[in-house]
Amino acid sequence: MNWENIAGQENLKKLLRDSIAENRVSHAQLFTGKEGYGTLPMVLAYAKEVLSQENEHAASKVEHLNHLDLHFSFPVFTDNRNSLSKNKFEEFREMIMTSPYASYDDWTAFLESENKQLFISADEIDDQNQKFSLKSFEGGTKILIVWRADKMNVAASNKFLKFLEEPPAKTIILLTAESTNDILPTILSRTQIVEVPRIQDEDLKAYLKKKFNISDEKIREITHEAQGDLNDAVKLLNSGSKDEEFEKLFIQWVRDAFMVKKKPGFLKNIILWAREIAGWNREKQKNFLNYCSEIFRLALLQNYQSEGLVYKKIDANGFNWAGFSKFISGANIENILEEINTADLHLTRNGNPKIIWTDLGIKLSRYIHKNS
């Protein structure tokens, strides 16, 4: 990955390049931000420049992810009692070479593992420890990139902490994560945190205009909806909508919630709805919660005549967006968002998803009729 191929982020690029030029490269750094903001592309460009300073022939090897002193760890599922990244490296390499801004959900779909838990295991950390105990192949720096370090389980985190405390000589550890929330504080205290912000709208527009043959109007529409996420922007271009499945289930939920008050028999539909969502992996469930929060907030803006801020509306399957928005107000939005946040917390703590979603589905039917 070349610096010039990264969308926007000029200030951060300069900061990282200056740290290399001035020999101020920290041995352990955590890049936080959504994948679509460019966390992994930034890390790859950084690693490429570090290794190229030592060997001019390193650049091409890093670009093709086959440099012998560049190692990767990333979440995988247990397969035949084995949970090592190296067993899925070719698949990971294929995905990243095609789409360096790919997300965790994309990786889950790529592996066709929607119903399996992906994580970074203690065995994976042991395997990396063994690799880094050996001398580098090219006699210089060895780099470990841990993609989605927030997916380490507890045992892996504890072993990784020891690796951070006593790293082998000439080792650089670059981690990525969406946020610091699920990473041990002791690991955070031993890493330099690099925040990767959302891509500025003008930079995203310029990137899309350069890479795709689409109208300025379409670019504006996609930029508004993507919210600084290049991965989402590309999906919008390719499919027309990133949320078709989420949209369908949200409409189903709202319609059943409206009907339950007059016809309690619709409660059965909410239970079936909850069971369907509970069958997804945890990450997808949490993403649906985020989607629901976003739609409720946009409906509130619509209701309070702030239509200029409503960058997305639901108009599929005869859904009456304007009519629905009238029911979302200051009287119920706080309760609705609080219940969604509570559901997210329970999912994070590995609560029973069927119970969590059934409870949330039923509570919406109570709050949706709460008038201002």
Side-chain angles (χ1 to χ4, degrees), residues 130-144:
Q130 186 176 5
K131 290 178 184 176
F132 277 79
S133 66
L134 305 173
K135 291 182 178 180
S136 66
F137 283 92
E138 299 195 1
T141 301
K142 296 178 74 172
I143 297 178
L144 171 62

Side-chain angles (χ1 to χ4, degrees), residues 225-226 232 235-236 239-244 246 294 312:
E225 186 165 355
D232 281 351
K235 287 180 181 177
L236 286 164
S239 67
S241 175
K242 67 174 181 178
D243 297 318
E244 289 180 4
F246 286 178
E294 177 188 24
K312 176 167 58 179

Side-chain angles (χ1 to χ4, degrees), residues 30-254:
L30 169 62
F31 290 69
T32 61
K34 294 181 68 176
E35 290 98 336
Y37 297 169
T39 49
L40 184 59
M42 199 71 68
V43 165
L44 289 173
Y46 193 48
K48 176 183 172 182
E49 184 138 339
V50 169
L51 293 172
S52 295
Q53 295 287 317
E54 300 176 346
N55 186 334
E56 61 181 341
H57 302 296
S60 177
K61 297 176 184 177
V62 175
E63 286 177 8
H64 293 88
L65 305 188
N66 60 10
H67 193 292
L68 294 176
D69 289 323
L70 179 63
H71 303 271
F72 292 86
S73 278
F74 44 84
V76 295
F77 56 84
T78 302
D79 189 13
N80 294 323
R81 299 184 179 180
N82 191 304
S83 54
L84 300 181
S85 298
K86 64 185 180 184
N87 295 329
K88 298 294 181 183
F89 177 71
E90 287 306 316
E91 290 89 339
F92 183 76
R93 180 176 178 273
E94 181 182 349
M95 182 185 77
I96 297 305
M97 291 293 293
T98 303
S99 178
Y101 286 80
S103 68
Y104 175 85
D105 278 353
D106 296 329
W107 176 231
T108 299
F110 195 89
L111 292 178
E112 299 180 349
S113 58
E114 284 83 353
N115 295 319
K116 297 178 182 178
Q117 185 69 42
L118 272 60
F119 62 100
I120 297 175
S121 67
D123 288 342
E124 169 66 17
I125 304 304
D126 286 338
D127 187 60
Q128 293 296 343
N129 265 319
Q130 186 176 5
K131 290 178 184 176
F132 277 79
S133 66
L134 305 173
K135 291 182 178 180
S136 66
F137 283 92
E138 299 195 1
T141 301
K142 296 178 74 172
I143 297 178
L144 171 62
I145 294 176
V146 183
W147 184 71
R148 290 309 299 262
D150 49 331
K151 297 301 179 183
M152 287 186 197
N153 62 24
V154 175
S157 295
N158 290 327
K159 287 195 172 186
F160 186 72
L161 178 59
K162 293 181 180 179
F163 183 62
L164 275 179
E165 290 173 335
E166 301 176 4
K170 300 192 74 174
T171 294
I172 295 176
I173 303 164
L174 305 174
L175 306 94
T176 76
E178 277 206 340
S179 73
T180 60
N181 294 341
D182 295 321
I183 298 179
L184 286 180
T186 44
I187 290 179
L188 296 177
S189 68
R190 288 164 175 78
T191 58
Q192 177 181 316
I193 298 176
V194 180
E195 294 184 4
V196 181
R198 56 162 287 177
I199 302 169
Q200 293 297 313
D201 286 351
E202 290 307 312
D203 292 328
L204 187 55
K205 288 177 183 177
Y207 184 93
L208 295 175
K209 192 177 184 73
K210 180 180 178 182
K211 297 288 184 179
F212 302 96
N213 183 25
I214 51 177
S215 68
D216 290 344
E217 183 180 355
K218 187 65 175 176
I219 287 176
R220 283 195 299 272
E221 177 187 333
I222 289 172
T223 299
H224 200 166
E225 186 165 355
Q227 294 291 290
D229 188 311
L230 179 56
N231 190 43
D232 281 351
V234 173
K235 287 180 181 177
L236 286 164
L237 275 172
N238 292 335
S239 67
S241 175
K242 67 174 181 178
D243 297 318
E244 289 180 4
E245 183 180 17
F246 286 178
E247 185 178 87
K248 177 183 176 183
L249 285 163
F250 182 86
I251 291 173
Q252 179 184 338
W253 181 25
V254 169

Side-chain angles (χ1 to χ4, degrees), residues 276-336:
E276 179 178 353
I277 298 169
W280 298 344
N281 65 49
R282 188 179 69 173
E283 196 75 16
K284 186 175 180 181
Q285 292 180 54
K286 289 167 73 69
N287 285 342
F288 183 50
L289 287 173
N290 291 335
Y291 171 83
C292 293
S293 294
E294 177 188 24
I295 295 300
F296 281 120
R297 290 191 182 97
L298 292 173
L300 181 71
L301 292 172
Q302 177 80 37
N303 189 20
Y304 287 171
Q305 283 79 51
S306 298
E307 192 166 355
L309 300 175
V310 182
Y311 62 87
K312 176 167 58 179
K313 300 178 181 180
I314 295 180
D315 55 11
N317 300 317
F319 188 77
N320 186 344
W321 172 256
F324 160 68
S325 299
K326 292 177 181 178
F327 285 85
I328 308 303
S329 67
N332 58 13
I333 187 65
E334 186 175 347
N335 293 126
I336 290 171

